[in-house]
Amino acid sequence: AQSVTQLDSQVPVFEEAPVELRCNYSSSVSVYLFWYVQYPNQGLQLLLKYLSGSTLVKGINGFEAEFNKSQTSFHLRKPSVHISDTAEYFCAVSDRLNKFYFGSGTKLNVKP
Amino acid sequence: DTGVSQNPRHKITKRGQNVTFRCDPISEHNRLYWYRQTLGQGPEFLTYFQNEAQLEKSRLLSDRFSAERPKGSFSTLEIQRTEQGDSAMYLCASSSGGDGTGNTIYFGEGSWLTVV
């Protein structure tokens, strides 16, 4: 079975500062990795995904993530955040059946 | 492409009543998923379909829950004899492709259920 751990439930950060949201996964087989963002009262939107190839993946809104197989991690980063990045971020893995497993989420709160 | 559409967006019901949610996936997406999300948690898998075939039901889905996808297009999720613990957001998602494809799933905006 697959599981996803997001250790930080909340991350406060000032505008224009860098941020890293951590994600670790557990799987006995190869998986695909995703980050989704959720704004209040909305569904989830894809930020980026890793399928294979280069371990550094770039997504929308200036976000990027790095796949680290040895550490089973897929941390999300942004060098300079904006107020509009305030949202909840979910890390997810999908297995060979294309079922998705989500972490419990990290609320990013960008302060002016 | 109008995206995944869910309705109603909000439903308040009394305990013991039945409720039904509808999901219209992105056209030509053959996979359709239902997830449940409670406050402070990530989405939890409930069930999914490949065309009209229901592939798997989570153990979270009690006998009071039933999902259908007739003709492989829209899907309905019915909850019978609702309980307060059913209060949550019910998310629908769809994707193209099948097993092992790593395809993205696209979510609707969710249907909020409040059981009073």
Side-chain angles (χ1 to χ4, degrees):
Chain A
Q2 280 61 245
S3 69
V4 179
T5 302
Q6 293 181 248
L7 289 172
D8 306 308
S9 59
Q10 296 194 47
V11 173
V13 63
F14 287 106
E15 193 174 20
E16 298 184 7
V19 71
E20 177 179 86
L21 306 184
R22 297 181 294 169
C23 172
N24 288 87
Y25 68 93
S26 173
S27 175
S28 58
V29 298
S30 297
V31 294
Y32 305 111
L33 296 155
F34 300 75
W35 275 98
Y36 282 81
V37 60
Q38 186 176 36
Y39 298 101
N41 299 317
Q42 294 187 23
L44 282 72
Q45 302 172 29
L46 179 71
L47 271 180
L48 50 79
K49 65 181 180 181
Y50 172 79
L51 301 183
S52 64
S54 173
T55 57
L56 184 63
V57 180
K58 294 188 183 298
I60 62 171
N61 300 339
F63 284 94
E64 62 182 33
E66 185 154 20
F67 169 60
N68 188 320
K69 187 175 182 179
S70 63
Q71 297 186 6
T72 58
S73 67
F74 190 54
H75 301 330
L76 181 70
R77 302 186 185 100
K78 186 168 182 177
S80 175
V81 294
H82 301 135
I83 295 286
S84 59
D85 293 324
T86 294
E88 191 158 18
Y89 293 78
F90 292 94
C91 183
V93 301
S94 72
D95 62 13
R96 62 178 181 82
L97 300 177
N98 222 40
K99 278 174 57 181
F100 279 63
Y101 302 84
F102 289 85
S104 55
T106 298
K107 290 184 180 176
L108 178 63
N109 183 17
V110 182
K111 303 176 181 181
Chain B
D1 183 356
T2 57
V4 179
S5 176
Q6 292 187 246
N7 64 81
R9 292 291 316 281
H10 302 273
K11 179 73 175 178
I12 300 174
T13 191
K14 291 184 179 179
R15 186 163 52 98
Q17 298 293 305
N18 300 342
V19 296
T20 299
F21 298 112
R22 175 178 170 130
C23 172
D24 288 89
I26 293 171
S27 59
E28 299 182 359
H29 274 188
N30 54 359
R31 284 261 171 123
L32 186 147
Y33 303 77
W34 284 101
Y35 282 82
R36 180 169 65 190
Q37 186 179 22
T38 53
L39 285 175
Q41 298 297 318
E44 296 175 299
F45 170 80
L46 293 180
T47 187
Y48 73 138
F49 294 83
Q50 173 90 7
N51 299 313
E52 66 275 10
Q54 189 172 22
L55 299 182
E56 184 177 339
K57 286 176 61 172
S58 166
R59 282 174 288 179
L60 292 174
L61 223 58
S62 74
D63 292 342
R64 297 183 296 105
F65 288 72
S66 62
E68 295 182 341
R69 193 183 182 197
K71 303 179 183 178
S73 56
F74 72 91
S75 175
T76 58
L77 177 68
E78 182 183 16
I79 309 174
Q80 296 182 326
R81 305 182 303 282
T82 53
E83 301 173 357
Q84 287 189 322
D86 297 330
S87 296
M89 182 159 70
Y90 291 85
L91 290 163
C92 178
S94 70
S95 75
S96 59
D99 292 353
T101 58
N103 282 351
T104 301
I105 59 173
Y106 297 89
F107 283 88
E109 296 200 336
S111 292
W112 276 105
L113 173 64
T114 301
V115 181
V116 296

